[in-house]
Amino acid sequence: MLIEAHPVSPWQANCYLVAAEVDDPQSPRQCLVIDPGIMSFDIITNALAQRGWQPAAVVLTHGHLDHAGDAHAVAARWDVPVFCAGADQPMLERPSLGLGESFISIIEQFLGADALPLPAEVRGLAEPFQVAGLRVRPFAAPGHTAGSTLLEVSDDTTVVVFTGDVLFAGTIGRTDLPSGNMAEMRETLRRIRDSFPEDVPLLPGHGPGTTLELEMERNPFMHDEN
């Protein structure tokens, strides 16, 4: 599997381009675009041109502006669907639903209004699917937002998990924004511990990658008492 991480927006959210390994490296290669946040369109366009890759779908770990703000633009440019959990889909049109009214002035600085165009084709994110030679298994992970979803992505050689803003290296995502919930986050973390092998690579929505084994050792939130 080939994975590129591109930090985007003032919040330095990780946008990932993900492609399966293919036998002929010269053949056209499709890819996933995971979490194209605000101000990512030009970065994504340039990276794809350099690679010669073609998006097959946009997949969102959650609906916050720094992870989903340019989803509509990427989807329109390449005529591809956007996958997003139903609970977070309203944020794709009205970003403040995910961030709160106190963020409206900041949102308006970037967008001119608390509004975004809805992508032409928005699909739910509940069942496994295959696209671009990759298998995607969504893992519902509420806590940061109601619709937060881990993405287990695999090809014939590699398995990785994109954790969005649920689990970072050494910490977790905040739970004090609309639809965030610390009790749900604790349950999500418990299920992560029970559901994935310890050596699985974790690629978060901000910051460096890690593994579940490292987070079990170093992350205080991965223990029941926290």
Side-chain angles (χ1 to χ4, degrees), residues 123-146:
R123 300 182 184 178
L125 192 54
E127 299 298 326
F129 61 95
Q130 296 190 36
V131 64
L134 298 164
R135 296 176 291 276
V136 182
R137 183 174 73 94
F139 181 91
H144 178 62
T145 67

Side-chain angles (χ1 to χ4, degrees), residues 118-208:
L118 185 68
E121 183 179 359
V122 181
R123 300 182 184 178
L125 192 54
E127 299 298 326
F129 61 95
Q130 296 190 36
V131 64
L134 298 164
R135 296 176 291 276
V136 182
R137 183 174 73 94
F139 181 91
H144 178 62
T145 67
S148 284
T149 306
L150 272 59
L151 306 171
E152 181 189 82
V153 179
S154 60
D155 63 6
D156 293 336
T157 64
T158 309
V159 179
V160 299
V161 176
F162 297 89
T163 62
D165 283 4
V166 173
L167 182 59
F168 305 128
T171 189
I172 60 172
R174 60 191 295 181
T175 60
D176 60 331
L177 296 173
S179 86
N181 184 294
M182 190 61 198
E184 290 184 342
M185 178 68 88
R186 291 192 183 98
E187 175 60 18
T188 286
L189 297 174
R190 184 195 64 76
R191 291 191 300 109
I192 290 172
R193 297 197 307 266
D194 294 342
S195 300
F196 295 99
E198 289 191 349
D199 61 350
V200 68
L202 305 179
L203 300 179
H206 300 266

Side-chain angles (χ1 to χ4, degrees), residues 78-113:
W78 283 280
D79 191 23
V80 297
V82 174
F83 290 83
C84 179
D88 280 15
Q89 289 180 14
M91 303 177 198
L92 303 183
E93 288 188 281
R94 188 179 172 195
S96 68
L97 293 177
L99 299 174
E101 293 186 359
S102 63
F103 279 82
I104 289 178
S105 62
I106 297 174
I107 294 168
E108 291 176 340
Q109 289 179 28
F110 288 106
L111 304 179

Side-chain angles (χ1 to χ4, degrees), residues 4-137:
E4 287 190 5
H6 296 275
V8 300
S9 85
W11 297 277
Q12 293 292 281
N14 290 327
C15 172
Y16 294 97
L17 307 180
V18 187
E21 293 280 3
V22 295
D23 293 334
D24 180 4
Q26 302 302 317
S27 66
R29 194 189 302 265
Q30 290 191 312
C31 69
L32 296 180
V33 180
I34 295 178
D35 284 1
I38 189 173
M39 300 173 66
S40 68
F41 181 80
D42 289 343
I43 294 171
I44 292 169
T45 300
N46 291 336
L48 292 170
Q50 291 176 9
R51 282 283 197 174
W53 291 1
Q54 177 78 21
V58 172
V59 190
L60 305 178
T61 62
H62 62 296
H64 281 163
L65 184 66
D66 56 331
H67 294 263
D70 277 3
H72 69 284
V74 175
R77 168 63 179 82
W78 283 280
D79 191 23
V80 297
V82 174
F83 290 83
C84 179
D88 280 15
Q89 289 180 14
M91 303 177 198
L92 303 183
E93 288 188 281
R94 188 179 172 195
S96 68
L97 293 177
L99 299 174
E101 293 186 359
S102 63
F103 279 82
I104 289 178
S105 62
I106 297 174
I107 294 168
E108 291 176 340
Q109 289 179 28
F110 288 106
L111 304 179
D114 180 22
L116 282 168
L118 185 68
E121 183 179 359
V122 181
R123 300 182 184 178
L125 192 54
E127 299 298 326
F129 61 95
Q130 296 190 36
V131 64
L134 298 164
R135 296 176 291 276
V136 182
R137 183 174 73 94

